[in-house]
Amino acid sequence: MSVTVEITDDAKLDRLPNLGPVSLQLLTEAGITTVGELRALGAAEAYHRLKFTDPKRVTLNFLYALNAGLAGLPWKAITPEMKQDWRRAAGLEDS
């Protein structure tokens, strides 16, 4: 059974699970510095914005990490079904 972590909106992004230094740097460069800013924007929109600015470094794993981080889920708790749902929500896969 996985354990989720509750993180407040005013927390810095480094409090989210699954985000490493490169991800944090990309988000900061895009002006996203708090959990609340990321939640307001949404993982899919943040992914698309960063994919546009840095298409080689921003992969689907970034989308998964953002979604799981916002849900407080560790990386190993991500299921194939979650990945598919997140791709669909981001408009990357037909429903």
Side-chain angles (χ1 to χ4, degrees), residues 37-84:
E37 291 168 347
L38 180 57
R39 278 195 181 121
L41 188 58
E45 181 61 26
Y47 166 81
H48 284 296
R49 287 185 185 188
L50 295 171
K51 183 71 173 169
F52 179 78
T53 60
D54 198 341
K56 291 186 181 188
R57 290 199 303 174
V58 177
T59 67
L60 281 175
N61 283 337
F62 192 78
L63 176 66
Y64 305 149
L66 291 174
N67 277 289
L70 286 173
L73 295 171
W75 186 261
K76 291 186 177 196
I78 301 171
T79 65
E81 294 79 16
M82 288 175 177
K83 290 179 179 181
Q84 184 177 42

Tab-separated table of all heavy atoms in Angstrom, residues 37-84:
chain	number	residue	atom	x	y	z
A	37	GLU	N	1.240	27.346	-7.162
A	37	GLU	CA	1.333	27.808	-8.551
A	37	GLU	C	1.229	26.638	-9.518
A	37	GLU	O	0.553	26.730	-10.546
A	37	GLU	CB	2.660	28.555	-8.767
A	37	GLU	CG	2.718	29.882	-8.050
A	37	GLU	CD	4.109	30.494	-8.012
A	37	GLU	OE1	5.106	29.812	-8.325
A	37	GLU	OE2	4.185	31.683	-7.645
A	38	LEU	N	1.876	25.530	-9.177
A	38	LEU	CA	1.798	24.347	-10.034
A	38	LEU	C	0.391	23.774	-10.035
A	38	LEU	O	-0.138	23.423	-11.090
A	38	LEU	CB	2.811	23.294	-9.567
A	38	LEU	CG	2.840	22.000	-10.373
A	38	LEU	CD1	3.100	22.251	-11.853
A	38	LEU	CD2	3.889	21.046	-9.794
A	39	ARG	N	-0.245	23.703	-8.879
A	39	ARG	CA	-1.620	23.197	-8.807
A	39	ARG	C	-2.569	24.073	-9.622
A	39	ARG	O	-3.445	23.568	-10.321
A	39	ARG	CB	-2.106	23.151	-7.364
A	39	ARG	CG	-1.672	21.943	-6.628
A	39	ARG	CD	-2.463	21.755	-5.326
A	39	ARG	NE	-1.968	20.575	-4.654
A	39	ARG	CZ	-1.460	20.552	-3.438
A	39	ARG	NH1	-1.389	21.657	-2.727
A	39	ARG	NH2	-1.029	19.438	-2.913
A	40	ALA	N	-2.411	25.384	-9.509
A	40	ALA	CA	-3.292	26.306	-10.241
A	40	ALA	C	-3.122	26.144	-11.744
A	40	ALA	O	-4.103	26.205	-12.493
A	40	ALA	CB	-3.006	27.744	-9.822
A	41	LEU	N	-1.914	25.945	-12.174
A	41	LEU	CA	-1.629	25.769	-13.595
A	41	LEU	C	-2.049	24.382	-14.065
A	41	LEU	O	-2.594	24.227	-15.155
A	41	LEU	CB	-0.136	25.979	-13.843
A	41	LEU	CG	0.339	26.022	-15.271
A	41	LEU	CD1	-0.351	27.125	-16.058
A	41	LEU	CD2	1.855	26.228	-15.303
A	42	GLY	N	-1.795	23.397	-13.232
A	42	GLY	CA	-2.088	22.011	-13.574
A	42	GLY	C	-0.863	21.337	-14.177
A	42	GLY	O	-0.067	21.971	-14.877
A	43	ALA	N	-0.728	20.061	-13.900
A	43	ALA	CA	0.431	19.307	-14.376
A	43	ALA	C	0.494	19.272	-15.901
A	43	ALA	O	1.565	19.424	-16.486
A	43	ALA	CB	0.400	17.885	-13.814
A	44	ALA	N	-0.655	19.087	-16.558
A	44	ALA	CA	-0.666	18.989	-18.022
A	44	ALA	C	-0.213	20.299	-18.659
A	44	ALA	O	0.616	20.297	-19.580
A	44	ALA	CB	-2.054	18.606	-18.521
A	45	GLU	N	-0.713	21.432	-18.174
A	45	GLU	CA	-0.325	22.724	-18.749
A	45	GLU	C	1.142	23.024	-18.473
A	45	GLU	O	1.863	23.521	-19.346
A	45	GLU	CB	-1.210	23.844	-18.213
A	45	GLU	CG	-0.878	25.204	-18.778
A	45	GLU	CD	-1.026	25.320	-20.290
A	45	GLU	OE1	-1.814	24.567	-20.898
A	45	GLU	OE2	-0.337	26.173	-20.884
A	46	ALA	N	1.606	22.723	-17.270
A	46	ALA	CA	3.023	22.927	-16.950
A	46	ALA	C	3.891	22.079	-17.871
A	46	ALA	O	4.907	22.551	-18.397
A	46	ALA	CB	3.293	22.587	-15.490
A	47	TYR	N	3.493	20.834	-18.077
A	47	TYR	CA	4.225	19.942	-18.985
A	47	TYR	C	4.297	20.545	-20.387
A	47	TYR	O	5.370	20.616	-20.989
A	47	TYR	CB	3.567	18.561	-19.019
A	47	TYR	CG	4.050	17.702	-20.158
A	47	TYR	CD1	5.256	17.008	-20.060
A	47	TYR	CD2	3.317	17.598	-21.333
A	47	TYR	CE1	5.711	16.235	-21.111
A	47	TYR	CE2	3.770	16.828	-22.385
A	47	TYR	CZ	4.965	16.148	-22.270
A	47	TYR	OH	5.422	15.379	-23.326
A	48	HIS	N	3.162	20.985	-20.909
A	48	HIS	CA	3.135	21.540	-22.275
A	48	HIS	C	3.999	22.790	-22.392
A	48	HIS	O	4.719	22.960	-23.384
A	48	HIS	CB	1.704	21.834	-22.720
A	48	HIS	CG	0.947	20.612	-23.096
A	48	HIS	ND1	1.292	19.818	-24.160
A	48	HIS	CD2	-0.149	20.032	-22.536
A	48	HIS	CE1	0.447	18.806	-24.253
A	48	HIS	NE2	-0.435	18.915	-23.268
A	49	ARG	N	3.947	23.656	-21.415
A	49	ARG	CA	4.764	24.878	-21.452
A	49	ARG	C	6.248	24.547	-21.453
A	49	ARG	O	7.033	25.114	-22.211
A	49	ARG	CB	4.448	25.779	-20.256
A	49	ARG	CG	3.122	26.467	-20.380
A	49	ARG	CD	2.909	27.419	-19.239
A	49	ARG	NE	1.575	28.002	-19.311
A	49	ARG	CZ	1.159	28.983	-18.544
A	49	ARG	NH1	1.969	29.505	-17.635
A	49	ARG	NH2	-0.057	29.461	-18.671
A	50	LEU	N	6.635	23.619	-20.593
A	50	LEU	CA	8.043	23.265	-20.511
A	50	LEU	C	8.492	22.435	-21.709
A	50	LEU	O	9.628	22.572	-22.164
A	50	LEU	CB	8.330	22.552	-19.200
A	50	LEU	CG	8.124	23.449	-17.985
A	50	LEU	CD1	8.212	22.651	-16.705
A	50	LEU	CD2	9.122	24.586	-17.970
A	51	LYS	N	7.614	21.616	-22.225
A	51	LYS	CA	7.932	20.828	-23.430
A	51	LYS	C	8.179	21.774	-24.599
A	51	LYS	O	9.064	21.538	-25.428
A	51	LYS	CB	6.788	19.856	-23.737
A	51	LYS	CG	7.030	18.939	-24.912
A	51	LYS	CD	8.059	17.901	-24.579
A	51	LYS	CE	8.178	16.874	-25.685
A	51	LYS	NZ	9.348	16.015	-25.508
A	52	PHE	N	7.427	22.871	-24.672
A	52	PHE	CA	7.600	23.852	-25.739
A	52	PHE	C	8.957	24.551	-25.624
A	52	PHE	O	9.629	24.784	-26.626
A	52	PHE	CB	6.465	24.883	-25.690
A	52	PHE	CG	6.571	25.938	-26.743
A	52	PHE	CD1	6.196	25.670	-28.053
A	52	PHE	CD2	7.052	27.192	-26.426
A	52	PHE	CE1	6.308	26.636	-29.036
A	52	PHE	CE2	7.161	28.177	-27.397
A	52	PHE	CZ	6.792	27.898	-28.706
A	53	THR	N	9.360	24.873	-24.400
A	53	THR	CA	10.611	25.616	-24.221
A	53	THR	C	11.854	24.726	-24.223
A	53	THR	O	12.932	25.194	-24.556
A	53	THR	CB	10.600	26.429	-22.912
A	53	THR	OG1	10.426	25.540	-21.818
A	53	THR	CG2	9.496	27.468	-22.921
A	54	ASP	N	11.703	23.455	-23.855
A	54	ASP	CA	12.862	22.556	-23.797
A	54	ASP	C	12.447	21.140	-24.195
A	54	ASP	O	12.400	20.231	-23.373
A	54	ASP	CB	13.447	22.566	-22.386
A	54	ASP	CG	14.857	22.031	-22.331
A	54	ASP	OD1	15.283	21.331	-23.267
A	54	ASP	OD2	15.543	22.316	-21.342
A	55	PRO	N	12.129	20.941	-25.485
A	55	PRO	CA	11.559	19.668	-25.920
A	55	PRO	C	12.459	18.447	-25.732
A	55	PRO	O	11.957	17.335	-25.584
A	55	PRO	CB	11.261	19.891	-27.401
A	55	PRO	CG	12.081	21.054	-27.805
A	55	PRO	CD	12.286	21.879	-26.579
A	56	LYS	N	13.753	18.636	-25.698
A	56	LYS	CA	14.644	17.478	-25.549
A	56	LYS	C	14.722	16.978	-24.111
A	56	LYS	O	14.838	15.783	-23.886
A	56	LYS	CB	16.045	17.810	-26.065
A	56	LYS	CG	16.067	17.974	-27.565
A	56	LYS	CD	17.462	18.162	-28.081
A	56	LYS	CE	17.379	18.335	-29.594
A	56	LYS	NZ	18.670	18.340	-30.227
A	57	ARG	N	14.668	17.888	-23.162
A	57	ARG	CA	14.798	17.470	-21.757
A	57	ARG	C	13.470	17.147	-21.097
A	57	ARG	O	13.435	16.427	-20.094
A	57	ARG	CB	15.516	18.542	-20.942
A	57	ARG	CG	16.973	18.658	-21.296
A	57	ARG	CD	17.795	19.357	-20.238
A	57	ARG	NE	17.309	20.694	-19.937
A	57	ARG	CZ	17.807	21.444	-18.967
A	57	ARG	NH1	18.785	21.003	-18.223
A	57	ARG	NH2	17.335	22.651	-18.750
A	58	VAL	N	12.380	17.655	-21.621
A	58	VAL	CA	11.073	17.425	-21.008
A	58	VAL	C	10.409	16.236	-21.702
A	58	VAL	O	9.989	16.334	-22.851
A	58	VAL	CB	10.193	18.695	-21.084
A	58	VAL	CG1	8.817	18.420	-20.511
A	58	VAL	CG2	10.867	19.841	-20.345
A	59	THR	N	10.347	15.128	-20.994
A	59	THR	CA	9.790	13.893	-21.535
A	59	THR	C	8.482	13.556	-20.819
A	59	THR	O	8.064	14.264	-19.895
A	59	THR	CB	10.778	12.727	-21.341
A	59	THR	OG1	10.897	12.463	-19.934
A	59	THR	CG2	12.148	13.052	-21.931
A	60	LEU	N	7.870	12.455	-21.214
A	60	LEU	CA	6.649	12.015	-20.527
A	60	LEU	C	6.902	11.744	-19.047
A	60	LEU	O	5.998	11.917	-18.225
A	60	LEU	CB	6.075	10.771	-21.196
A	60	LEU	CG	5.288	11.014	-22.473
A	60	LEU	CD1	4.889	9.689	-23.107
A	60	LEU	CD2	4.063	11.863	-22.202
A	61	ASN	N	8.109	11.354	-18.712
A	61	ASN	CA	8.416	11.125	-17.295
A	61	ASN	C	8.204	12.399	-16.484
A	61	ASN	O	7.838	12.332	-15.309
A	61	ASN	CB	9.846	10.612	-17.122
A	61	ASN	CG	9.957	9.156	-17.480
A	61	ASN	OD1	8.985	8.413	-17.456
A	61	ASN	ND2	11.161	8.734	-17.824
A	62	PHE	N	8.426	13.544	-17.099
A	62	PHE	CA	8.186	14.818	-16.417
A	62	PHE	C	6.695	14.980	-16.125
A	62	PHE	O	6.309	15.381	-15.029
A	62	PHE	CB	8.714	15.965	-17.291
A	62	PHE	CG	8.781	17.277	-16.589
A	62	PHE	CD1	9.803	17.558	-15.705
A	62	PHE	CD2	7.821	18.235	-16.807
A	62	PHE	CE1	9.863	18.781	-15.047
A	62	PHE	CE2	7.872	19.461	-16.162
A	62	PHE	CZ	8.900	19.723	-15.273
A	63	LEU	N	5.851	14.649	-17.093
A	63	LEU	CA	4.400	14.701	-16.896
A	63	LEU	C	3.990	13.781	-15.746
A	63	LEU	O	3.203	14.171	-14.880
A	63	LEU	CB	3.672	14.299	-18.181
A	63	LEU	CG	2.155	14.206	-18.096
A	63	LEU	CD1	1.533	15.572	-17.840
A	63	LEU	CD2	1.593	13.585	-19.369
A	64	TYR	N	4.527	12.569	-15.742
A	64	TYR	CA	4.190	11.614	-14.683
A	64	TYR	C	4.666	12.117	-13.320
A	64	TYR	O	3.952	12.013	-12.322
A	64	TYR	CB	4.813	10.246	-14.961
A	64	TYR	CG	4.479	9.653	-16.303
A	64	TYR	CD1	5.379	8.826	-16.953
A	64	TYR	CD2	3.278	9.923	-16.953
A	64	TYR	CE1	5.091	8.265	-18.180
A	64	TYR	CE2	2.986	9.381	-18.196
A	64	TYR	CZ	3.897	8.547	-18.805
A	64	TYR	OH	3.621	7.997	-20.032
A	65	ALA	N	5.879	12.671	-13.274
A	65	ALA	CA	6.426	13.162	-12.007
A	65	ALA	C	5.595	14.319	-11.460
A	65	ALA	O	5.348	14.397	-10.256
A	65	ALA	CB	7.878	13.595	-12.203
A	66	LEU	N	5.159	15.221	-12.341
A	66	LEU	CA	4.330	16.343	-11.897
A	66	LEU	C	3.013	15.853	-11.319
A	66	LEU	O	2.593	16.277	-10.240
A	66	LEU	CB	4.063	17.304	-13.057
A	66	LEU	CG	5.248	18.110	-13.568
A	66	LEU	CD1	4.841	18.893	-14.811
A	66	LEU	CD2	5.788	19.036	-12.499
A	67	ASN	N	2.333	14.976	-12.041
A	67	ASN	CA	1.051	14.461	-11.567
A	67	ASN	C	1.191	13.691	-10.261
A	67	ASN	O	0.424	13.905	-9.320
A	67	ASN	CB	0.409	13.574	-12.636
A	67	ASN	CG	-0.340	14.359	-13.668
A	67	ASN	OD1	-1.392	14.913	-13.390
A	67	ASN	ND2	0.199	14.437	-14.870
A	68	ALA	N	2.158	12.805	-10.204
A	68	ALA	CA	2.355	12.012	-8.987
A	68	ALA	C	2.774	12.907	-7.829
A	68	ALA	O	2.299	12.733	-6.704
A	68	ALA	CB	3.396	10.926	-9.233
A	69	GLY	N	3.635	13.877	-8.101
A	69	GLY	CA	4.062	14.795	-7.057
A	69	GLY	C	2.898	15.561	-6.472
A	69	GLY	O	2.763	15.677	-5.255
A	70	LEU	N	2.039	16.088	-7.342
A	70	LEU	CA	0.873	16.831	-6.857
A	70	LEU	C	-0.087	15.938	-6.071
A	70	LEU	O	-0.781	16.410	-5.176
A	70	LEU	CB	0.147	17.503	-8.022
A	70	LEU	CG	0.859	18.716	-8.606
A	70	LEU	CD1	0.140	19.200	-9.862
A	70	LEU	CD2	0.966	19.834	-7.580
A	71	ALA	N	-0.116	14.654	-6.426
A	71	ALA	CA	-0.970	13.710	-5.701
A	71	ALA	C	-0.285	13.178	-4.442
A	71	ALA	O	-0.899	12.453	-3.666
A	71	ALA	CB	-1.343	12.550	-6.624
A	72	GLY	N	1.003	13.536	-4.257
A	72	GLY	CA	1.742	13.051	-3.097
A	72	GLY	C	2.141	11.599	-3.203
A	72	GLY	O	2.404	10.951	-2.199
A	73	LEU	N	2.210	11.089	-4.429
A	73	LEU	CA	2.540	9.680	-4.644
A	73	LEU	C	4.015	9.481	-4.944
A	73	LEU	O	4.589	10.218	-5.747
A	73	LEU	CB	1.746	9.122	-5.832
A	73	LEU	CG	0.246	9.043	-5.688
A	73	LEU	CD1	-0.388	8.684	-7.013
A	73	LEU	CD2	-0.109	8.021	-4.630
A	74	PRO	N	4.617	8.451	-4.361
A	74	PRO	CA	5.991	8.121	-4.744
A	74	PRO	C	6.012	7.526	-6.155
A	74	PRO	O	5.001	7.003	-6.641
A	74	PRO	CB	6.417	7.088	-3.698
A	74	PRO	CG	5.154	6.511	-3.175
A	74	PRO	CD	4.093	7.575	-3.319
A	75	TRP	N	7.148	7.620	-6.819
A	75	TRP	CA	7.294	7.159	-8.203
A	75	TRP	C	6.832	5.719	-8.377
A	75	TRP	O	6.147	5.381	-9.342
A	75	TRP	CB	8.756	7.315	-8.643
A	75	TRP	CG	8.935	7.000	-10.090
A	75	TRP	CD1	9.393	5.823	-10.621
A	75	TRP	CD2	8.627	7.840	-11.200
A	75	TRP	NE1	9.401	5.900	-11.989
A	75	TRP	CE2	8.942	7.135	-12.371
A	75	TRP	CE3	8.120	9.138	-11.309
A	75	TRP	CZ2	8.759	7.669	-13.643
A	75	TRP	CZ3	7.966	9.669	-12.574
A	75	TRP	CH2	8.273	8.932	-13.715
A	76	LYS	N	7.187	4.859	-7.447
A	76	LYS	CA	6.862	3.428	-7.576
A	76	LYS	C	5.372	3.147	-7.460
A	76	LYS	O	4.928	2.050	-7.793
A	76	LYS	CB	7.646	2.606	-6.563
A	76	LYS	CG	9.123	2.582	-6.887
A	76	LYS	CD	9.879	1.665	-5.974
A	76	LYS	CE	11.325	1.635	-6.411
A	76	LYS	NZ	12.066	0.535	-5.857
A	77	ALA	N	4.594	4.098	-7.012
A	77	ALA	CA	3.143	3.906	-6.887
A	77	ALA	C	2.407	4.223	-8.187
A	77	ALA	O	1.212	3.978	-8.299
A	77	ALA	CB	2.589	4.772	-5.758
A	78	ILE	N	3.120	4.765	-9.179
A	78	ILE	CA	2.488	5.128	-10.451
A	78	ILE	C	2.184	3.857	-11.243
A	78	ILE	O	3.067	3.053	-11.505
A	78	ILE	CB	3.398	6.056	-11.280
A	78	ILE	CG1	3.713	7.333	-10.507
A	78	ILE	CG2	2.754	6.374	-12.621
A	78	ILE	CD1	4.785	8.191	-11.169
A	79	THR	N	0.924	3.709	-11.611
A	79	THR	CA	0.507	2.524	-12.373
A	79	THR	C	0.430	2.864	-13.864
A	79	THR	O	0.322	4.036	-14.236
A	79	THR	CB	-0.877	2.044	-11.902
A	79	THR	OG1	-1.847	3.059	-12.230
A	79	THR	CG2	-0.894	1.751	-10.404
A	80	PRO	N	0.442	1.845	-14.717
A	80	PRO	CA	0.249	2.093	-16.149
A	80	PRO	C	-1.073	2.813	-16.443
A	80	PRO	O	-1.134	3.648	-17.344
A	80	PRO	CB	0.277	0.694	-16.765
A	80	PRO	CG	1.098	-0.118	-15.819
A	80	PRO	CD	0.760	0.438	-14.455
A	81	GLU	N	-2.103	2.511	-15.675
A	81	GLU	CA	-3.397	3.168	-15.863
A	81	GLU	C	-3.312	4.662	-15.546
A	81	GLU	O	-3.917	5.481	-16.236
A	81	GLU	CB	-4.473	2.495	-14.994
A	81	GLU	CG	-4.788	1.068	-15.385
A	81	GLU	CD	-3.775	0.038	-14.887
A	81	GLU	OE1	-2.976	0.345	-13.983
A	81	GLU	OE2	-3.775	-1.084	-15.423
A	82	MET	N	-2.586	5.001	-14.491
A	82	MET	CA	-2.394	6.417	-14.155
A	82	MET	C	-1.673	7.136	-15.290
A	82	MET	O	-2.071	8.231	-15.696
A	82	MET	CB	-1.567	6.568	-12.871
A	82	MET	CG	-2.272	6.197	-11.613
A	82	MET	SD	-1.074	6.292	-10.246
A	82	MET	CE	-2.134	5.907	-8.879
A	83	LYS	N	-0.621	6.521	-15.794
A	83	LYS	CA	0.135	7.128	-16.890
A	83	LYS	C	-0.774	7.382	-18.096
A	83	LYS	O	-0.726	8.449	-18.703
A	83	LYS	CB	1.312	6.249	-17.296
A	83	LYS	CG	2.415	6.203	-16.270
A	83	LYS	CD	3.530	5.283	-16.730
A	83	LYS	CE	4.659	5.238	-15.726
A	83	LYS	NZ	5.760	4.362	-16.162
A	84	GLN	N	-1.600	6.401	-18.414
A	84	GLN	CA	-2.513	6.554	-19.546
A	84	GLN	C	-3.515	7.678	-19.290
A	84	GLN	O	-3.762	8.510	-20.165
A	84	GLN	CB	-3.249	5.242	-19.813
A	84	GLN	CG	-4.133	5.315	-21.043
A	84	GLN	CD	-4.795	3.982	-21.338
A	84	GLN	OE1	-5.259	3.296	-20.420
A	84	GLN	NE2	-4.835	3.619	-22.598
